[in-house]
Amino acid sequence: MHAEQGETTAAAEPGEDPAGALAPGALSGLVVADFGRVLAGPYMTMLLADLGAEVVKIERPGTGDDTRTWGPPFADGQATYFLGVNRNKRSVALDLTDPEGLAAARALVDRADVLVENFRPGTMDRLGLGYEQVRASNPGLVYCSVTGFGSAEGAHLAGYDLLVQAMGGLMSITGEPGGPGTKAGVALVDVVTGLHAGLGVLAALRHRDRTGQGQRIEVSLLTSLLSALTNQAAAHLATGTVPRPLGNRHPSISPYEVFEASDRPLVLAVGTDRQFRALCARIGSPGLADDPRFATNTARVAHREELAAALSGPLATRTADAWFEELTAAGVPCGPINDLAGAFAFADRLGLPARVPDTAAGPGQVAHPVAFEATPAAYRSAPPRLGEHTAEILAELSEPSEPPESADRTAPALPRDRPGERPVGR
């Protein structure tokens, strides 16, 4: 209903239309059958759900996704690990070893645009939900499999993030020189794999838009990590170099490391000779920029120990925040090492929407990282309780008619059309 002359309407929140209803997202109308568990798959499907896709999370009765119990910490009685990657989804509890549960899962898959799974290779085939088994009834389906080490010789290996960080080389370049391998402070390989899987799904959907045909895509944790190693991997493949851990230093840039300010650690990330000259001027040591050992980046990398010694004294005379303000003003990249509280406070200071207000999405939600001008992310619902939507989803699967126009937009019903009759790119 439009406002009458003289009336005003409240400003719409991001992702809402002026009437207060949820505006269609970029992926509205897309149905995702999410068999993913733990992190890589659920993270990817949450990002799709933020953009409007309807994601139905298929879980084991009684236990559900493993991360439901991965705590502490807990919030509202649920593990924050699970809460962090499962908003905007509906949960249906199905026993895939039971004929009725499997039939319901198959009916859902037949109506889906995308299927995501990260079981051990071969598991979906044994259940009757493998790609070759479902493509006949849904030829437009994009079928995304996330594996640890591929579906061939590595199919028997467990795909845990720590294991892949170790065997994929990341731990060999992380940590202090001469020390044991160190993992990243978050399951970084799972996150990167989820992002790669999302890119693959969207590319496959684009192909389906043009041809009407779906396809199977596979993303492994190992190949995702090797791709993410970028410059380190390229150095090895191009020259045979085997990188070693350098602590907080960079193998190809200097100074690019941590120094001690008077109160706490400070990071310098000096990538150009101009930045280095500005740094030297601001710390009161302009002569360092003309020293042959430090005049170019290549020279600074070769003499990084002497350079660190020359910079440490002046940098220890002021606080990290004071250096941040002064050096940033001079165009020198630097900053203190924040904890997470400081990191979110810094994002708030910059006006970046890094956190979701405690609304329908529930507490403690990190905002979708991509800002869209026309189709912003929307936060429609909190992470679901196990099997919370089982009854309504089974009812939708049993009804052949289209849902009424007045259906709740925050929980869209599944499409009723047969996959072969669905218009391409809907």
Side-chain angles (χ1 to χ4, degrees):
M1 182 174 65
H2 297 290
E4 299 294 336
Q5 185 175 1
E7 293 181 341
T8 59
T9 56
E13 294 293 326
E16 294 185 348
D17 63 28
L22 290 172
L27 300 180
S28 290
L30 197 74
V31 176
V32 180
D34 183 6
F35 293 84
R37 300 167 297 149
V38 187
L39 185 52
Y43 178 66
M44 183 262 281
T45 55
M46 181 185 72
L47 296 181
L48 300 181
D50 287 349
L51 301 180
E54 180 189 354
V55 176
V56 179
K57 187 176 179 68
I58 299 94
E59 300 189 75
R60 294 169 295 182
T63 56
D65 192 316
D66 298 326
T67 59
R68 286 184 177 276
T69 61
W70 284 9
F74 295 92
D76 292 340
Q78 300 188 82
T80 57
Y81 200 120
F82 175 84
L83 295 178
V85 290
N86 284 289
R87 65 171 174 251
N88 286 337
K89 303 178 185 180
R90 294 195 288 167
S91 170
V92 56
L94 298 176
D95 182 355
L96 300 181
T97 64
D98 175 78
E100 290 188 2
L102 180 59
R106 182 61 183 265
L108 173 60
V109 171
D110 283 346
R111 302 187 186 203
D113 300 281
V114 178
L115 181 152
V116 178
E117 62 90 11
N118 66 328
F119 291 107
R120 287 276 186 96
T123 300
M124 290 290 276
D125 296 283
R126 290 193 296 272
L127 291 170
L129 292 168
Y131 177 59
E132 296 300 331
Q133 296 161 311
V134 301
R135 68 183 301 188
S137 57
N138 190 353
L141 181 69
V142 172
Y143 193 109
C144 177
S145 295
V146 178
T147 68
F149 297 90
S151 56
E153 296 302 318
H156 66 289
L157 298 174
Y160 285 93
D161 184 276
L162 176 62
L163 185 61
V164 181
Q165 287 198 38
M167 300 185 73
L170 179 58
M171 291 176 65
S172 76
I173 58 173
T174 306
E176 294 300 321
T182 302
K183 74 177 185 67
V186 71
L188 187 65
V189 181
D190 275 332
V191 172
V192 170
T193 302
L195 295 174
H196 288 169
L199 175 63
V201 163
L202 294 178
L205 287 170
R206 176 60 175 148
H207 172 76
R208 191 191 73 173
D209 289 345
R210 293 196 303 264
T211 67
Q213 295 299 310
Q215 61 180 298
R216 186 182 181 206
I217 62 176
E218 180 180 323
V219 187
S220 77
L221 300 182
L222 179 58
T223 54
S224 283
L225 172 58
L226 292 174
S227 174
L229 290 177
T230 57
N231 61 301
Q232 297 279 38
H236 171 65
L237 293 178
T239 69
T241 300
V242 179
R244 299 300 180 192
L246 294 172
N248 290 313
R249 289 175 168 173
H250 193 284
S252 305
I253 308 172
S254 185
Y256 198 98
E257 57 189 279
V258 177
F259 293 88
E260 288 294 331
S262 63
D263 60 338
R264 57 177 173 148
L266 174 76
V267 163
L268 288 181
V270 177
T272 69
D273 294 340
R274 183 198 61 78
Q275 292 170 354
F276 181 67
R277 186 169 292 277
L279 168 67
C280 295
R282 289 299 178 118
I283 67 172
S285 303
L288 290 177
D290 297 317
D291 188 316
R293 297 173 299 169
F294 312 135
T296 66
N297 178 71
T298 301
R300 291 192 293 273
V301 170
H303 299 91
R304 66 169 80 242
E305 294 295 343
E306 300 98 310
L307 177 60
L311 296 176
S312 293
L315 290 171
T317 62
R318 301 180 65 184
T319 67
D321 287 339
W323 282 126
F324 171 67
E325 296 296 336
E326 178 168 349
L327 294 178
T328 298
V332 180
C334 73
I337 297 179
N338 289 326
D339 58 19
L340 280 179
F344 277 102
F346 184 55
D348 292 341
R349 173 183 166 187
L350 298 178
L352 295 173
R355 64 181 91 202
V356 178
D358 289 348
T359 57
Q365 294 289 315
V366 181
H368 191 96
V370 182
F372 292 80
E373 179 182 20
T375 55
Y379 310 106
R380 303 180 299 278
S381 60
R385 300 283 180 175
L386 175 59
E388 179 179 345
H389 306 97
T390 299
E392 69 182 54
I393 290 173
L394 293 180
E396 290 168 11
L397 292 172
S398 67
E399 297 175 4
S401 60
E402 290 285 340
E405 292 183 1
S406 60
D408 179 7
R409 294 172 66 189
T410 65
L414 296 171
R416 308 300 182 204
D417 51 301
R418 295 174 57 83
E421 300 169 353
R422 183 186 310 145
V424 174
R426 71 162 179 81

